Amino acid sequence: MSVEQPPGAGPSSRPGRLGVGVVGAGRVGAVLGSALRGAGHPVVAVSAVSEASRERAEALLPGVPVLDVPEVVRRAELVLLAVPDDALPGLVAGLAEVGAWQAGQIAVHTSGRFGADVLGPARAVGVIPLAVHPAMTFTGTSLDLARLAGCSFAVTGPAPVLPIGQALVVEIGGEPVVLPEGSRGLYHAALAHGANHLVVLVAQAAEALAAAGVADPGRMLGPLLEAALDGALRAEQPGDAGQRGPGAITALTGPVRRGDAGTVREHAEALTTFAASSGAVDVPAGYRALARAATQRALAAGLIAPAQATDLLDAVAGMTRGAGSLQSEDDQPPGADDGPQGPQEDA
């Protein structure tokens, strides 16, 4: 239920506004601090060590004093910790050792890797712990502010305080998704695998296209990859009854989907030759790994027949049928393992 505001009242006049201290003016911290400021929470201080961070703070948080970390924490009611994952545990513990944390404060970190338990030293002195991670890549500019609309945020914390984290996400236009403490590792691995390795895949494909004589690989790849990604994501969308969609693999196209083992074999040979001349040995290795995974998933989804899968895996391995490739360490039989597939300057 919304509360009607008096005429002329801005965000800062809403009840429950909190003084925010931003620890880490990296790409995530500065943007989220700016978003919270836009929702009416005054940003009282920010820490910024590098020249790039100082420039980012000046651009996104103009007028906010740049102070050392303990002073930022002491001034804030809500402390936003946006630091590299590996630095977070030591930072939280160090602030506890110097007595910077204050009972009643809210500590929100933006690491995808950790849940709320990493804030234990702060919680021990009465701080409210929350992990709020945006499932988005950041540029560290004002362009990111618009992209927060509809962005999913994983929210983890003790059950009684989860509504605080959810409300903060809603205020900046995001969609909160409550995630258990024990699921953070798998959650973050999944996001990194999807986003980071997608970038690697594009880099590999673009390098091979350039070697093939394509002057503008990005322009050629754009429509193809956008259509493929759109189809895969649509296939993951829930149906009307809320059940999971048919799955991204059902959007698969190309030689694996058609069972064209000869084409896959030619791809493997072409990419191996390319790697020998360019030194890009990761390209054929990546192709083989993903072609194997595509074959196994296509078989499991009923998109190809077992005989087609056998031929495809033999083609990927560079072996003829019957040479034992399906029993090798790298090419297990389809369905042999149906189990789970296995810093931020801020996030």
Side-chain angles (χ1 to χ4, degrees):
M1 181 176 70
S2 62
V3 178
E4 185 175 350
Q5 298 292 323
S12 61
S13 65
R14 299 174 190 161
R17 301 302 89 186
L18 300 166
V20 177
V22 179
V23 177
R27 288 169 294 175
V28 175
V31 170
L32 293 185
S34 180
L36 288 168
R37 193 183 204 184
H41 298 283
V43 178
V44 297
V46 59
S47 71
V49 177
S50 70
E51 184 62 30
S53 292
R54 289 179 175 273
E55 291 176 358
R56 200 175 288 116
E58 183 178 350
L60 290 169
L61 299 169
V64 175
V66 177
L67 305 172
D68 62 25
V69 173
E71 185 60 27
V72 171
V73 174
R74 290 190 181 99
R75 291 190 180 198
E77 297 167 290
L78 187 159
V79 180
L80 182 67
L81 300 169
V83 299
D85 291 353
D86 286 351
L88 183 59
L91 174 64
V92 176
L95 288 168
E97 290 173 2
V98 299
W101 295 113
Q102 304 161 59
Q105 279 181 316
I106 301 170
V108 177
H109 79 71
T110 62
S111 168
R113 168 183 165 191
F114 293 107
D117 285 354
V118 73
L119 298 170
R123 187 180 184 183
V125 294
V127 172
I128 296 170
L130 286 165
V132 178
H133 176 260
M136 189 180 82
T137 59
F138 285 74
T139 64
T141 70
S142 59
L143 296 174
D144 295 332
L145 295 171
R147 299 171 64 199
L148 292 177
C151 171
S152 294
F153 285 71
V155 180
T156 301
V161 300
L162 279 176
I164 298 174
Q166 292 170 299
L168 290 170
V169 170
V170 170
E171 282 188 323
I172 61 177
E175 295 183 4
V177 177
V178 174
L179 199 69
E181 181 80 26
S183 297
R184 296 288 291 205
L186 180 60
Y187 153 81
H188 197 229
L191 292 185
H193 183 41
N196 303 159
H197 297 164
L198 176 62
V199 173
V200 175
L201 181 62
V202 173
Q204 291 179 340
E207 185 177 4
L209 282 174
V214 176
D216 189 347
R219 182 181 180 87
M220 177 173 283
L221 285 170
L224 175 66
L225 298 189
E226 287 168 5
L229 180 60
D230 181 67
L233 294 178
R234 285 180 182 275
E236 286 290 343
Q237 291 178 353
D240 293 337
Q243 76 278 15
R244 186 181 171 187
I249 196 63
T250 60
L252 182 68
T253 62
V256 169
R257 176 64 180 84
R258 297 190 298 268
D260 289 342
T263 300
V264 171
R265 185 174 292 107
E266 184 173 324
H267 288 176
E269 293 171 355
L271 292 174
T272 299
T273 301
F274 160 67
S277 63
S278 67
V281 294
D282 62 311
V283 177
Y287 181 92
R288 287 180 56 178
L290 290 174
R292 281 196 299 267
T295 299
Q296 291 166 343
R297 286 182 174 269
L299 177 62
L303 302 179
I304 57 176
Q308 290 176 304
T310 298
D311 288 342
L312 287 163
L313 289 178
D314 282 342
V316 170
M319 300 177 183
T320 59
R321 188 172 179 180
S325 64
L326 296 186
Q327 301 303 322
S328 69
E329 182 179 351
D330 291 335
D331 294 287
Q332 292 296 318
D337 181 4
D338 291 329
Q341 304 292 312
Q344 297 186 115
E345 175 184 349
D346 28 37

